[in-house]
Amino acid sequence: MSNPKFRVAICGGGIGGLALANALATFANDVHVDVYEATSTSSEIGAGIIFWKRSWFILQSLGLESTLIDMDLKPPEDKPRPGFILRKADQKEPSHNFHRLITPHGSVAMHRAILLGVLREGVSKHCTIHYNKRLLSYNQSGGPVTMLFADGTSAEADVVIGSDGINSATRQTMFSNPTNERFSRPSWTGTYCYRSLIDSTKVLKALPGHQATTMPIIYMGKDKHTVSYPIKGNLINYLSFYTVPGREGTEYEGPSVVDGSCDELVKLFEEWEPEARTLASCVEKCSRWAISQHRGTPFCISGKVALLGDAAHAMSTHLGAGASQSLEDAYILGRILAHPAVNLRNVEEALQVYQKARLPIANAVVERSRTTGLLYELNYPAALGCLDEDATEGDLVENFIDSVYGQWTGQWEGLPSEDWARAEALLINTLGRSDDSEISIEKTSFNNTLGGFAISPQAQVVA
């Protein structure tokens, strides 16, 4: 690129970072992009991932849909589809499906590695990916931002985007001031998650007709729950959660991801019903994750540096929304940086618009995901007593079902293009380049239901 308007450095080559690189490749022809990945190759920890209507729209906008379809990954159906089965399972006797969520749109499940490969291929001709470049810190003093890496090297860029995960060095530098230092690191939810991919043929051999081989199911119980859903390749994506009472908000000590014990997993669910016990017993290898989160992030930009994805708003896994929120960050931020009204002189103001557009929504999803976990483990007011033997379908159970469904609606309501239209209007207004005197900050401010998710007062930006 002969004369770029500015240089963007993306620290982190995971889903969020590469999605932003794809967005800039799609919407800009005058922005130079470098991606700095900490490891020897772009990798994404985890297994299965589910995308709904909003996320698929972004992948489509980035020109990736045809590649995914060629891999036999069909777009989410635009009609009501059966979703997760809800099942109370913390008793030894066989249980029953007490509800199945019906969603207005379908979803698509894929392995994270597949999406990462598609995103990497999408930018292969448009940017440079530098491997073994783990960011330690950055500094900025009016000119270019300098990044310092663990290998002793450094690099400069006009704009730096920290997409370097939940333990983000970008975030730790941004929140290094004693006033904000408490936001620099994630806090533990008190929950462990055992993750695995299970061979569905083994499950059927152990329990013929096991419905988890063909349908997504949530097995619920006090302080524990299991989520399973089939993915391509005759596999079941398996996640079992166990919450240690009273530990939420503490700092987790030790590595957050370790090899899990299959014997420990089986013991955790030995008093549960046959379906849940069978899934646990069919796990041959698992990892154990200590689930942490960033709650109430007050800001996600500082000068010419911005946070994206887990670095900005890491959340629990109960809505499966972490990757989708990273995509939405990347879509909005990419379009802002690519906008013809944005240049090196006003890019800091443009990043302020990104923060206003995305952070309240993402913070709201963090809280919704937390609430969903409390519901699944019968620790939320709407869940208390609702699945007891004497509860009836017409009273407490219906309240519980409505509460669970309400957490999920943001996955499919509205489209990111609508959010971008509002963000662009605010961007033009903020930069003072509007040709329409009718546009005002009030008319372009973000309401309480953007991004598909309702924004609670606690989730609003406070700084």
Side-chain angles (χ1 to χ4, degrees), residues 24 222-223 325 333:
L24 290 170
K222 183 67 174 175
D223 296 329
Q325 288 301 299
L333 180 56

Short mmCIF file of all heavy atoms in Angstrom, two decimals, residues 24 222-223 325 333:
data_model
loop_
_atom_site.label_atom_id
_atom_site.label_comp_id
_atom_site.label_asym_id
_atom_site.label_seq_id
_atom_site.Cartn_x
_atom_site.Cartn_y
_atom_site.Cartn_z
N LEU A 24 -11.28 -4.68 7.91
CA LEU A 24 -10.50 -3.62 7.30
C LEU A 24 -10.15 -3.95 5.86
O LEU A 24 -10.12 -3.07 4.99
CB LEU A 24 -9.24 -3.37 8.13
CG LEU A 24 -9.49 -2.72 9.50
CD1 LEU A 24 -8.23 -2.76 10.36
CD2 LEU A 24 -9.99 -1.30 9.34
N LYS A 222 -28.53 -28.30 40.82
CA LYS A 222 -28.00 -27.35 41.79
C LYS A 222 -26.47 -27.27 41.71
O LYS A 222 -25.76 -28.27 41.87
CB LYS A 222 -28.42 -27.78 43.21
CG LYS A 222 -27.99 -26.83 44.30
CD LYS A 222 -28.70 -25.49 44.20
CE LYS A 222 -28.37 -24.59 45.40
NZ LYS A 222 -28.96 -23.24 45.25
N ASP A 223 -25.97 -26.07 41.42
CA ASP A 223 -24.54 -25.76 41.35
C ASP A 223 -23.79 -26.48 40.23
O ASP A 223 -22.55 -26.41 40.17
CB ASP A 223 -23.84 -26.05 42.69
CG ASP A 223 -24.35 -25.17 43.81
OD1 ASP A 223 -24.75 -24.03 43.54
OD2 ASP A 223 -24.36 -25.63 44.97
N GLN A 325 -19.72 -11.72 20.16
CA GLN A 325 -19.48 -10.34 20.55
C GLN A 325 -18.15 -9.83 20.02
O GLN A 325 -18.01 -8.64 19.69
CB GLN A 325 -19.54 -10.21 22.07
CG GLN A 325 -20.94 -10.34 22.64
CD GLN A 325 -21.89 -9.29 22.09
OE1 GLN A 325 -21.68 -8.09 22.26
NE2 GLN A 325 -22.95 -9.73 21.40
N LEU A 333 -15.91 -1.67 14.72
CA LEU A 333 -14.62 -0.97 14.75
C LEU A 333 -14.00 -0.92 13.36
O LEU A 333 -13.45 0.12 12.96
CB LEU A 333 -13.68 -1.65 15.73
CG LEU A 333 -12.28 -1.04 15.87
CD1 LEU A 333 -12.36 0.44 16.23
CD2 LEU A 333 -11.46 -1.81 16.89
#
